[in-house]
Amino acid sequence: MISVKNLSKNYGNNKVVKNVDLEVKKGEVVVIIGPSGSGKSTLLRCLNLLERPNEGTIKFNDKNIDINMKDVKSIRTKVGMVFQQFNLFPHFTVLENVCHAPVVVQKKPRKTAEEDAKKLLESVGLGDKKDAYPSSLSGGQQQRVAIARTLAMNPDVLLFDEPTSALDPEMVTDVLRVMRDLAQHGRTMIIVTHEMGFAKEVADRVVFFDKGKIVETGTPKEIFDFPQHERTCDFISRVLHVI
Amino acid sequence: MSFISSFSFMSQYWMMFVQGVITTIELAIISIVFGFIIGIVLAILKKSKYSILSIFAKAYIGFIRDTPLLIQIYIVYIGLPMIFDVNISDFATGVIALTLYSAAYIAEIIRSGIESLPIGQFEASLALGMNKWKMMRDIILPQAIKNILPALGNQFIGNVKDSSLVSVLGITDLMYQAQTVRGSTALGVQPILVAAAIYLVITWILNCGMSYAERRMSVNDIR
């Protein structure tokens, strides 16, 4: 579904992502783990061209994506993104948050968009909050609205950029439950997270990312129980120790 | 003649002050409305990726902010008929000068309003496939304008006061009327004091209205 070759991103002389190759198949759930500041979020943001890679190729559904292209709408509507800080639109109601982009970007009739939005909100357990404003919701609820908003565009791939890092611990489970549900329904997902338990349980493949590079990739069992590289061992022993 | 009774001229001339107030408020309202529209355009031009547009906006804003309003009024007054070869009424000249003046300040207010929004609002809009125009129209400007309403209100109050300068063009605003009454009554400072009191009352009313509006708007506004 997505195939990345030789992708690099630098800010000035600071190389944040270094010649990364990554392949994600349809229906696959790939979890990227690694220390803070290793560039994993930047890698994720390169995939929907929120950050422009400096070099490399991105293939999406076997079609080459021009990394400098101006008309990014086509890729951004197919590659949805969920942010750490939710980034809901505070001046819109929950329902309007979810159906706004389908109406103005995809030109869906408003009525259809609203119907779809209501269904999506039901599916994330927030059907009764459709007329609320984001400021009246808890962090976990906001993030679930944000997931519904992303799903409303009917994307082929979902990118999650540390979706639970800004949440109180008791809110995390609700969001993870929604994500687990999506994974079980065969959604293609690329998730950057520090939730190791979730990664172990849901990931088809875990990627350990450090200093702008993929150090190691494998099944959750391979990465968590039998890591091959020293850096991976070190990281895993540290984070699992915390848990 | 006591100082208080020296204001007895008002019984004869109050109508002139009323007319002056109306003209002053007209000047302030028209110039804030058009200044706001041009201000949005300037704020967006300043951010443009085409350097000629952003340089133009920067130069314009810089010129307006760094030269006296009185000079700008004369430039419009003398310059416009020269360039366009049409007869523009003094009132229109005053409106244009005040509009061009407040547009530059409003552009900066809008810019600060846009920049005060969390970067995530821009990223979320773009990630949903919106283009820059839709993002600005639906997501950024509505929030930015709400945030800058107090500053816009202050600009409006500024416009009320600054409009006194266009009296040099013979526009019958409050300041001009005060001067006229001075001439007719041969009084020194009293008509000017009356005008000052009226300006004070107008701005006081506007300030009260603004704080009321702010309180109303912040009711459900917790991020």
Side-chain angles (χ1 to χ4, degrees), chain B residues 1-101:
Chain B
M1 190 168 70
S2 81
F3 185 68
I4 301 286
S5 66
S6 72
F7 284 91
S8 60
F9 70 92
M10 281 302 286
S11 62
Q12 199 184 336
Y13 289 102
W14 63 274
M15 203 50 218
M16 289 191 68
F17 285 96
V18 171
Q19 283 165 357
V21 167
I22 292 169
T23 308
T24 289
I25 289 178
E26 279 174 358
L27 281 168
I29 290 178
I30 300 174
S31 62
I32 197 86
V33 169
F34 287 103
F36 180 67
I37 296 166
I38 300 175
I40 290 180
V41 175
L42 280 171
I44 291 171
L45 286 186
K46 199 176 167 184
K47 286 250 157 201
S48 169
K49 58 186 170 202
Y50 302 108
S51 53
I52 185 154
L53 295 178
S54 71
I55 287 171
F56 166 79
K58 278 177 202 158
Y60 176 83
I61 293 168
F63 176 80
I64 296 289
R65 302 216 314 168
D66 297 340
T67 55
L69 173 57
L70 191 53
I71 289 179
Q72 295 160 20
I73 291 171
Y74 277 118
I75 290 176
V76 172
Y77 183 61
I78 302 161
L80 268 193
M82 276 170 66
I83 300 170
F84 293 109
D85 196 29
V86 283
N87 239 336
I88 306 169
S89 75
D90 290 341
F91 183 80
T93 308
V95 164
I96 292 170
L98 281 174
T99 298
L100 295 176
Y101 169 77

Side-chain angles (χ1 to χ4, degrees), chain B residues 3 32 45 49 51 62 77 81-82 84 86-87 109 113 123 136 147 162 167 171 173 192 203 207-208 214:
Chain B
F3 185 68
I32 197 86
L45 286 186
K49 58 186 170 202
S51 53
Y77 183 61
M82 276 170 66
F84 293 109
V86 283
N87 239 336
I109 293 172
E123 290 182 345
M136 276 293 167
N147 290 348
D162 293 336
S167 62
I171 297 170
D173 76 319
I192 301 293
T203 51
N207 268 318
C208 288
E214 269 171 57

Side-chain angles (χ1 to χ4, degrees), chain A residues 45 76 88 91 100 135, chain B residues 121 123 126 134 138 143 222:
Chain A
R45 294 153 60 88
R76 294 219 176 115
L88 292 182
H91 58 307
H100 179 266
S135 59
Chain B
Q121 293 293 310
E123 290 182 345
L126 295 175
K134 284 172 183 157
D138 296 349
Q143 293 186 65
I222 318 124

Side-chain angles (χ1 to χ4, degrees), chain A residues 79-150:
Chain A
V79 182
M81 185 163 211
V82 175
F83 297 88
Q84 180 177 356
Q85 300 292 344
F86 336 131
N87 299 340
L88 292 182
F89 304 132
H91 58 307
F92 285 167
T93 62
V94 164
L95 185 72
E96 189 61 29
N97 261 286
V98 178
C99 66
H100 179 266
V103 172
V104 303
V105 178
Q106 290 177 324
K107 312 284 181 214
K108 252 193 204 179
R110 172 160 283 277
K111 240 187 141 188
T112 330
E114 279 185 9
E115 288 307 315
D116 296 349
K118 280 178 199 160
K119 276 180 214 146
L120 283 168
L121 286 170
E122 293 287 348
S123 74
V124 298
L126 291 169
D128 55 332
K129 296 284 186 193
K130 67 181 173 58
D131 296 319
Y133 280 88
S135 59
S136 68
L137 303 183
S138 72
Q141 292 171 327
Q142 290 195 40
Q143 190 61 296
R144 283 184 280 153
V145 174
I147 292 172
R149 176 175 72 176
T150 307

Side-chain angles (χ1 to χ4, degrees), chain B residues 172-189:
Chain B
T172 56
D173 76 319
L174 182 53
M175 184 66 203
Y176 182 89
Q177 299 291 69
Q179 293 279 28
T180 311
V181 174
R182 266 187 81 209
S184 326
T185 57
L187 283 163
V189 76

Side-chain angles (χ1 to χ4, degrees), chain A residues 133-188:
Chain A
Y133 280 88
S135 59
S136 68
L137 303 183
S138 72
Q141 292 171 327
Q142 290 195 40
Q143 190 61 296
R144 283 184 280 153
V145 174
I147 292 172
R149 176 175 72 176
T150 307
L151 290 173
M153 301 298 283
N154 208 9
D156 293 339
V157 184
L158 290 168
L159 310 176
F160 290 85
D161 187 6
E162 302 196 23
T164 56
S165 298
L167 297 176
D168 295 335
E170 68 263 37
M171 307 291 177
V172 171
T173 36
D174 291 338
V175 171
L176 291 184
R177 189 183 308 132
V178 169
M179 290 171 64
R180 193 176 295 123
D181 206 45
L182 291 170
Q184 280 161 1
H185 281 80
R187 288 273 182 181
T188 314

